[in-house]
Amino acid sequence: MTLLLAAVGATVMALLELTVGPYLRVGSAQPHLVLVVGIVVTVAIGLEAGLVWAFVGGLVLDVLAARPLGSTAFALLICMGATYLLSRFLIRLRPVVPIIATLLLSVVYSMILFVAYNALRATVAVDDPIALVTPSAVYDVVIAALIGPLAISIHDRRVETERVDW
């Protein structure tokens, strides 16, 4: 049931990213809602839900935004895997992991999309691609700081802990 909810949530978030996202633009920064909420889902629920989120959300973004099919899903899958590894290393800092992961992986996600788009479609001439994606990365970190710790704290509070009965 959790995987089905992750697929439905990724679809809804992809639709929001493509429809409401341009209206949430601040300067040249546009939020990557599928990435940020996918990082939160991966840290809070686990790797399987994060991978389902990445695959379904990436395919929906590719189909609706007319990107090369599979490029966004590929970038999101790499980011969710890295998020899971980071969350295993920082197990004591679970509420802060989405902020750290978004800080590191938002630029990685954008650069993977940039390279994949240039490899599979017409090349886009950009002088400094890092400077182009940095405002969106900062915007993503702010969103992750707002929803990440809250979502993980709510999830950890609601989940039952396994205890040994003597």
Side-chain angles (χ1 to χ4, degrees):
M1 185 66 165
T2 304
L3 300 180
L4 177 64
L5 290 176
V8 171
T11 303
V12 169
M13 208 47 59
L15 289 171
L16 284 175
E17 182 174 330
L18 291 175
T19 57
V20 179
Y23 296 106
L24 298 176
R25 181 174 281 205
V26 176
S28 65
Q30 182 171 345
H32 301 113
L33 299 175
V34 175
L35 173 71
V36 174
V37 179
I39 288 173
V40 172
V41 165
T42 303
V43 174
I45 299 173
L47 180 64
E48 294 84 12
L51 292 178
V52 168
W53 184 281
F55 186 72
V56 173
L59 286 180
V60 171
L61 283 173
D62 287 340
V63 169
L64 294 179
R67 297 178 186 163
L69 190 61
S71 61
T72 307
F74 174 70
L76 284 170
L77 285 169
I78 288 175
C79 290
M80 294 313 131
T83 299
Y84 180 74
L85 290 176
L86 189 64
S87 71
R88 293 294 105 204
F89 286 125
L90 302 174
I91 194 77
R92 298 272 183 199
L93 301 172
R94 268 178 57 93
V96 183
V97 169
I99 301 168
I100 297 168
T102 305
L103 178 66
L104 298 173
L105 297 173
S106 182
V107 174
V108 171
Y109 169 74
S110 297
M111 293 311 299
I112 291 172
L113 280 179
F114 181 73
V115 168
Y117 190 80
N118 283 332
L120 299 172
R121 296 273 171 104
T123 57
V124 178
V126 176
D127 292 335
D128 188 13
I130 299 293
L132 184 68
V133 300
T134 302
S136 293
V138 171
Y139 197 5
D140 293 341
V141 170
V142 169
I143 293 171
L146 292 174
I147 66 170
L150 180 65
I152 290 174
S153 297
I154 289 171
H155 177 268
D156 288 349
R157 181 163 247 214
R158 296 189 57 97
V159 70
E160 292 183 29
T161 57
E162 294 183 19
R163 295 197 174 138
V164 178
D165 290 332
W166 295 97

